[in-house]
Amino acid sequence: MIDYSSWRHVFKLDPDKELDDAALEAVCESGTDAIMIGGTQGITYDNTLELMSRVRRHAVPAVLEISSLQAIVPGFDAYFIPLVLNAGDPDWIFAPHVKGLQAFGSYLHWEDIVSEGYLVVNPDAAVAKLTQAKPVADRDEAKAYMRVAAKICRLPTVYIEYSGVYGDPELVKACKSAAEGCHLFYGGGIRTPEQARNMAAVADTIVVGNIIYEDLQAALKTVDAVKRG
Ligand SMILES: CC(C)=CCC/C(C)=C/CC/C(C)=C/CC/C(C)=C/CC/C(C)=C/CC/C(C)=C/CC/C(C)=C/COP(=O)(O)OP(=O)(O)O
Ligand SMILES: O=P(O)(O)OC[C@@H](O)CO
Ligand SMILES: [Mg+2]
């Protein structure tokens, strides 16, 4: 079973985006705790397999955040399975999971599966549109979602997803105060060491994505900011 409890920093790589070998090596050897592969749009079996194989040249743990039944590739260290807490279309809460278990049930190693309560806070993110995410009214409501995930559903992890924009550290802090043993991931809009440090102060793990493709050197600086203070 993968031990994500000590992870402070994760890079999220998108199979639908280009990254040359030198950049990929820099990301994998950066000192980040893990590589998460995932995205909402353009995720296929082939592009996921290709990216996983390239990441596998390095020792860093590699996990898949599943967004499509058609792109579940064997060979990852663990599989993170999102359950969208504020999905407006309830089919995104359990329907693909039922299909997934029908398709893969007998091949499953449950110790490699990590359930992830997903709170989609940025209404403009692709995942918000896909799942018709209900707007999160305020910090109090975010905290209540967190309690539903941690205390009622007893999920092991929650992911506060702001994909594309930098979020509200006070909202994340409120969620953390209600997490009680549930591991809190934060992702969205981290572009500077200061943003990385600020979110790492309130979340258990920060996830850095788009900046890898926009400014690699800036992305690499977020690792040291979190891991070396
Ligand atoms: C052979 C083998 C290894 C067997 C093991 C198989 C296995 C692990 C089976 C699991 C069975 C199972 C329960 C499957 C569920 C499958 C599934 C499709 C679940 C649905 C997940 C879900 C709710 C997806 C909705 C979208 C979502 C929440 C995606 C998360 C990732 C995300 C938001 C990425 C960020 O995207 P973003 O950067 O904003 O978008 P772009 O793509 O535009 O960049
Ligand atoms: O791409 P960014 O905005 O860094 O967000 C990271 C991650 O939370 C996306 O799922
Ligand atoms: Mg993305």
Side-chain angles (χ1 to χ4, degrees):
M1 182 187 280
I2 200 145
D3 181 12
Y4 53 79
S5 64
S6 60
W7 292 355
R8 298 286 290 136
H9 182 286
V10 166
F11 275 129
K12 190 181 279 189
L13 295 180
D14 185 338
D16 194 35
K17 290 185 178 154
E18 300 282 325
L19 201 61
D20 66 35
D21 282 343
L24 185 70
E25 178 171 358
V27 166
C28 291
E29 301 294 336
S30 63
T32 189
D33 293 305
I35 302 295
M36 180 176 271
I37 291 184
T40 304
Q41 306 171 101
I43 309 300
T44 67
Y45 189 92
D46 288 350
N47 63 20
T48 303
L49 175 61
E50 200 219 334
L51 183 54
M52 182 196 74
S53 313
R54 293 174 64 212
V55 170
R56 278 285 182 231
R57 294 181 195 145
H58 306 276
V60 65
V63 303
L64 178 64
E65 186 173 62
I66 297 179
S67 59
S68 157
L69 266 180
Q70 282 71 46
I72 300 179
V73 171
F76 282 92
D77 293 308
Y79 296 83
F80 281 64
I81 305 203
L83 300 149
V84 181
L85 301 170
N86 58 328
D89 175 353
D91 267 5
W92 286 105
I93 305 177
F94 286 133
H97 310 76
V98 171
K99 284 211 168 64
L101 290 184
Q102 285 181 290
F104 290 100
S106 43
Y107 302 103
L108 271 183
H109 294 168
W110 286 106
E111 64 277 13
D112 297 337
I113 304 287
V114 181
S115 311
E116 205 182 36
Y118 231 79
L119 188 60
V120 179
V121 194
N122 172 12
D124 297 322
V127 61
K129 298 201 164 110
L130 177 73
T131 62
Q132 296 169 37
K134 291 181 195 153
V136 177
D138 52 25
R139 295 167 189 162
D140 247 30
E141 192 177 79
K143 191 170 166 178
Y145 271 115
M146 185 74 208
R147 284 216 166 96
V148 168
K151 303 296 283 182
I152 297 181
C153 301
R154 295 183 196 275
L155 293 173
T157 76
V158 161
Y159 193 122
I160 309 286
E161 175 65 287
Y162 273 91
S163 182
V165 300
Y166 187 68
D168 171 12
E170 291 302 322
L171 180 148
V172 180
K173 193 174 173 184
C175 290
K176 179 64 190 160
S177 74
E180 294 186 54
C182 175
H183 191 92
L184 185 60
F185 289 87
Y186 167 84
I190 294 178
R191 290 182 156 70
T192 67
E194 193 191 4
Q195 290 174 330
R197 257 192 305 274
N198 288 346
M199 279 302 179
V202 287
D204 295 311
T205 306
I206 61 156
V207 182
V208 176
N210 287 341
I211 189 71
I212 300 165
Y213 301 92
E214 294 161 10
D215 182 346
L216 178 63
Q217 292 312 314
L220 296 173
K221 284 182 189 153
T222 64
V223 181
D224 269 7
V226 170
K227 309 228 0 139
R228 294 189 188 88

